[in-house]
Amino acid sequence: MSSHPSGPGVIYWFRNDLRLHDQPALQSAIELAQKLQTWLLPVYIHDDALDAQTPWGFARTSPQRKAWTQMALQDLAQQLNALHSQLFQLKGKPVEILMALSHHFQGSWIVCEDIAAPFEQAHVQQLKDAQLKVQTVWQSTLMRPADLPFDVRKVPDQFTTFRQLLERPTILVQDPLPVITSMPPLPDVKALHTHLKAQIEAADSSTAKEPKIDPRSAFPWGLSGLKGGETSALAHLSHYCSNKLPSTYKLTRNGLMGFEYSTKWSPWLATGALSARQAWAAIKAYEATHGANHSTYWIGFELLWRDHFRWLHLKHGHKLYRRQGLSTETRVHKAHSPENFEAWCTAKTGHPFIDAGMRELTSTSYLSNRMRQNLASYLIHDLGCDWRAGAAWFETHLIDFDVYSNQGNWLYLSGCGTDPRGGRRFNPDKQARDYDPDGSYRALWRH
Ligand code: FAD
């Protein structure tokens, strides 16, 4: 590994962007290091806060979700090693660790991707408040803020208006950046092993155990070569397209069982092992070869939902995290039933369709969109619970947990978000009849 004498340099803080392809933030850090003729240290911090309890009384992150991220980190570390660099992993409080690193290296720059959720924004704000040199780069949407046909702070609240404005005349998505093939030298990190010994050792010992995956899973990761990380993400993207699955997506996307009814891109998008622009480009290339149809269009349509929730975060920020959300009525007085919440979490509501979904979630850490909608609606509209408790339960368990999409969808279904119809109750009996007509899903997840 090439290393460079100490002195100020650039610390690249990996967050939800564990990849080397289409990486504008890392690219920008590399360019900064080149301009300053200095080193670059890639860092990942296992945040202690993810080990804490939620206000609802359960752990914030399941061992499965940790294991999925760990796989992505292993893959990233291997790729950086191949470029004569290194992924420096620590565990603790991100702000404290980054301040220690920056000071150790005499006021080095910290570069990272921008994340517009309050918890993540607070980290960056604290670094800036401490007068550190911080550069954030927005990169998780299909479009760049400057390419939107409206000011980013004025993004339409309604999805349809948003989409129609973007599609007129055509959506402007930049090509993904090529994969990074060389890295600046590393600094001398020997002294860090004394300064930050506890944090380095804590990261070493936080290695997640091999996950136990239920073979009934619609996303049988770990069992079938599906792993967290960029290598597996790109292989899966290519598999999805080479099997011509984009041509039938719209017909199958409401499925509940099996691997191929939907793209299954979300677990990789969530850790940033796959960039949304890379996925978009793959669909465009597919259309050029095999032709466009309603299904290929609809994959892009869903990726726009993902984007919309991101832009709404930039516009509304912490309001999306209040129980009343964007509503001007204060509905905080609305009751929350801890008993009903417990029944929902433990798959003991007595409704076979709902309980089947809750079992699938905790056994596999993945769920179809259809079941997510049903489970969320049932908790909010049938069991009379606070939607934020449900969002927290999903955050703990889903390996594709994405702060924007999770918060956004829960708030939307609660009726306090941007749904023009003001909340959606799904009738679980009708849903079971429509989407599980022969009861095979309920049978699969009876226990
Ligand atoms: P596909 O149907 O193949 O869709 C392709 C991609 O489009 C997805 O990977 C995703 O990036 C995007 N997408 C599809 N539907 C949505 C949607 N409703 N909102 C935003 N983006 C969408 N998705 C997450 O990635 N992380 C979450 O934490 C999350 N929490 C959710 C919570 C609730 C209550 C609901 C109703 C939905 C949630 N979703 C979440 C959205 C959606 O259910 C998943 O993205 C999808 O099921 C993932 O499977 P897939 O990749 O096969 O999706």
Side-chain angles (χ1 to χ4, degrees), residues 240 249 253 259 261-267 269-270 298-307 309-310 366-377 391 394-395 398-411 413:
Y240 190 78
Y249 169 77
R253 61 178 282 272
F259 183 54
Y261 63 78
S262 66
T263 66
K264 306 293 190 304
W265 292 343
S266 59
L269 286 167
W298 213 263
I299 296 176
F301 178 98
E302 294 298 345
L303 287 174
L304 286 182
W305 268 107
R306 177 181 177 277
D307 269 25
F309 288 128
R310 284 166 153 68
Y366 176 82
L367 268 183
S368 63
N369 184 56
R370 180 60 42 188
M371 284 317 294
R372 291 182 207 213
Q373 289 175 320
N374 272 290
L375 300 181
S377 161
F394 272 27
E395 169 173 355
L398 286 172
I399 52 165
D400 70 5
F401 166 68
D402 171 81
V403 62
Y404 306 101
S405 295
N406 194 51
Q407 204 74 16
N409 275 286
W410 273 94
L411 185 62
L413 288 164

Side-chain angles (χ1 to χ4, degrees), residues 19 63 92 94 128 149 153 197 231 247 282 286 317 343 356 372 399 409 416:
R19 65 173 183 275
K128 289 183 177 165
R153 306 272 158 193
K197 188 166 179 268
T231 307
S247 298
Y286 179 91
R372 291 182 207 213
I399 52 165
N409 275 286
C416 304

Side-chain angles (χ1 to χ4, degrees), residues 341-368:
F341 181 57
E342 169 83 14
W344 183 81
C345 294
T346 52
K348 289 190 180 123
T349 67
H351 196 292
F353 191 54
I354 299 302
D355 290 343
M358 293 306 293
R359 277 187 211 104
E360 183 189 7
L361 170 60
T362 47
S363 312
T364 72
S365 318
Y366 176 82
L367 268 183
S368 63

Side-chain angles (χ1 to χ4, degrees), residues 309-320:
F309 288 128
R310 284 166 153 68
W311 300 124
L312 288 177
H313 263 74
L314 272 179
K315 179 174 175 185
H316 295 297
H318 74 278
K319 285 190 190 157
L320 302 172

